[in-house]
């Protein structure tokens, strides 16, 4: 049996513990990130970024919550290929996006250059960021807060607190109760 088969068999036999950390760089994997990027930029699917209609409404909502974007600094955590970051920059926010998918960050930078948008993109793990009182708003979109292990949530909240200016706003989303009640755990293995 070759090594790949061994890993695969281990994978389907062992159920990981809730929030057990993986050693594989899922988001930054050469193969996975390619298909992930395709999913992100598909405006009609909710695969990795929500559908474009929903994104636009969210951007309007965020802008309204902040009384407009002009003159405000915004940090987009897990910005992916910059779908929100771009639209927020167009609303006048001074945007910084962080993501640890090299492919997504590269794509986001190319798009910003093409559209002449001044967005700062950083290839970085947001659990290791170190900003101090730099931002008026921080966003974390697509329920990613719930994906973090409890100890990582504590780290992130502390870092956000440190990165926000006094009176700054943290905006994040989560699954609604109805969705969670309807949630069923399933196993599915495909090749
Ligand atoms: C579900 S996607 C959402 C992307 C974007 N917020 C959106 O809605 O279009 C999650 C993103 O977070 C990034 N990500 C996850 N954990 C991260 C971390 N610790 N540091 C930086 N980026 C992270 C992934 O690379 C991925 O691009």
């Amino acid at each position: 049996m070759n090594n790949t088969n061994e890993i695969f068999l281990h994978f389907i036999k062992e159920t990981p513990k809730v929030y057990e950390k993986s050693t594989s760089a899922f988001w930054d994997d050469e193969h996975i990130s390619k298909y992930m990027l395709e999913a992100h930029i598909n405006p009609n699917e909710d695969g990795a970024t929500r559908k474009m209609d929903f994104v636009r409404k969210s951007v309007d909502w965020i802008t309204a919550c902040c009384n407009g974007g002009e003159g405000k600094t915004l940090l987009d955590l897990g910005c992916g290929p910059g779908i929100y970051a771009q639209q927020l920059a167009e609303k006048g926010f001074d945007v910084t996006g962080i993501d640890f998918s090299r492919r997504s960050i590269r794509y986001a930078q190319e798009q910003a250059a093409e559209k002449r948008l001044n967005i700062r993109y950083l290839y970085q793990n947001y659990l290791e960021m170190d900003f101090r009182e730099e931002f008026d708003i921080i966003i974390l979109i697509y329920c990613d807060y719930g994906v973090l292990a409890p100890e990582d949530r504590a780290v992130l909240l502390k870092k956000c607190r440190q990165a926000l200016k006094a009176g700054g706003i943290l905006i994040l989303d989560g699954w609604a109760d109805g969705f969670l009640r309807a949630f069923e755990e399933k196993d599915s293995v495909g090749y």
Side-chain angles (χ1 to χ4, degrees):
M1 188 162 35
N2 68 31
N3 193 32
T4 311
N5 283 344
E6 266 176 53
I7 292 169
F8 186 65
L9 280 178
H10 173 78
F11 173 75
I12 58 176
K13 273 178 18 202
E14 303 290 321
T15 304
K17 292 191 193 76
V18 176
Y19 293 121
E20 183 179 324
K21 289 192 183 163
S22 157
T23 50
S24 62
F26 175 80
W27 291 103
D28 210 15
D29 176 84
E30 182 60 22
H31 178 78
I32 296 172
S33 68
K34 180 164 177 272
Y35 292 96
M36 204 58 89
L37 178 58
E38 280 177 20
H40 275 299
I41 61 179
N42 183 336
N44 306 313
E45 295 290 340
D46 277 326
T49 292
R50 290 199 176 91
K51 292 179 188 154
M52 192 50 88
D53 239 24
F54 193 95
V55 172
R56 283 206 192 93
K57 282 186 200 147
S58 306
V59 166
D60 287 346
W61 184 83
I62 292 169
T63 309
C65 282
C66 302
N67 292 322
E70 289 302 331
K72 291 177 190 134
T73 46
L74 181 146
L75 176 63
D76 184 358
L77 299 176
C79 62
I83 315 278
Y84 289 84
Q86 252 183 52
Q87 291 191 27
L88 288 160
E90 282 162 359
K91 296 278 186 192
F93 289 100
D94 175 1
V95 181
T96 298
I98 297 188
D99 204 287
F100 66 7
S101 160
R102 207 179 286 274
R103 191 187 297 272
S104 282
I105 287 292
R106 204 183 311 127
Y107 180 90
Q109 286 168 333
E110 286 164 7
Q111 288 289 306
E114 206 174 283
K115 295 184 175 152
R116 296 178 192 278
L117 291 169
N118 188 18
I119 303 175
R120 171 169 62 151
Y121 283 115
L122 306 171
Y123 169 68
Q124 201 189 343
N125 182 343
Y126 54 57
L127 294 174
E128 292 166 10
M129 67 184 183
D130 189 23
F131 298 106
R132 274 155 218 264
E133 295 176 32
E134 214 178 294
F135 298 98
D136 297 295
I137 301 108
I138 298 182
I139 61 171
L140 174 62
I141 296 185
Y142 218 169
C143 304
D144 284 7
Y145 185 71
V147 174
L148 296 172
E151 64 274 19
D152 287 342
R153 287 183 209 164
V155 168
L156 186 66
L157 288 182
K158 205 165 166 200
K159 289 194 176 278
C160 286
R161 179 84 174 83
Q162 187 185 292
L164 282 171
K165 296 177 187 169
I169 307 172
L170 170 64
I171 298 176
L172 50 85
D173 52 2
W175 299 112
D177 282 351
F179 175 86
L180 288 177
R181 273 195 297 272
F183 186 80
E184 253 181 86
E185 200 173 300
K186 285 187 205 142
D187 282 340
S188 124
V189 176
Y191 197 72

